[in-house]
Amino acid sequence: QVQLVESGGGLVQAGDSLRLSCAASGRTFSSYAMGWFRQAPGKEREFVAGINRNGITQYADSVKGRFTVSRDNAKNTVYLQMNSLKPEDTAVYYCAAKEASLFSPVNPDRSWYDYWGQGTQVTVSS
């Protein structure tokens, strides 16, 4: 199993930046594909960004050009750099992990992931 702990959320103004971190413990972090999801009040949890074992990334259209996902296998951590934040980015952000083969592509389907963090709140004021 792997345990995931997100951090870095907070209250910011529109146009500001935040960097979320997701620290993983347990089995070998490099064996996992990682994803970032978010859930706003009254809405379903949605895919934001993901990174596979090879470092290939994928983004939701709503965050392309503003968000960047990266991973540091030496630190067992995945990051989500969020720039030019908008009020509609307000949500609880979750990281997720799936033990995957080396060439598995990023999967935006939340049901594919086996492990989830507890989430971190991001609030963007206008």
Side-chain angles (χ1 to χ4, degrees), residues 23-80:
S25 61
R27 297 179 63 183
T28 307
F29 177 72
S30 60
S31 300
Y32 289 83
M34 303 298 296
W36 283 99
F37 291 76
R38 67 186 180 187
Q39 188 166 18
K43 295 188 176 181
E44 292 191 353
R45 191 170 299 188
E46 64 175 3
F47 174 78
V48 175
I51 185 166
N52 75 353
R53 291 181 58 188
N54 279 323
I56 304 299
T57 59
Q58 183 176 337
Y59 299 92
D61 288 344
S62 59
V63 307
K64 277 182 184 176
R66 300 188 298 123
F67 290 12
T68 303
V69 59
S70 61
R71 66 189 299 160
D72 185 337
N73 289 340
K75 294 183 178 180
N76 286 4
T77 302
V78 62
Y79 304 98
L80 185 67

Side-chain angles (χ1 to χ4, degrees), residues 1-4 22 24-25 27-37 47 49-56 71 73 78 94-117:
Q1 280 204 347
V2 63
Q3 293 78 42
L4 305 172
C22 174
S25 61
R27 297 179 63 183
T28 307
F29 177 72
S30 60
S31 300
Y32 289 83
M34 303 298 296
W36 283 99
F37 291 76
F47 174 78
I51 185 166
N52 75 353
R53 291 181 58 188
N54 279 323
I56 304 299
R71 66 189 299 160
N73 289 340
V78 62
Y94 299 89
C95 71
K98 169 76 173 183
E99 192 167 15
S101 64
L102 185 60
F103 298 103
S104 289
V106 174
N107 195 324
D109 184 351
R110 64 180 186 264
S111 67
W112 184 71
Y113 294 85
D114 294 324
Y115 304 102
W116 292 84

Side-chain angles (χ1 to χ4, degrees), residues 79-91:
Y79 304 98
L80 185 67
Q81 177 67 44
M82 306 186 294
N83 298 330
S84 302
L85 283 161
K86 304 176 181 180
E88 51 263 44
D89 294 319
T90 295

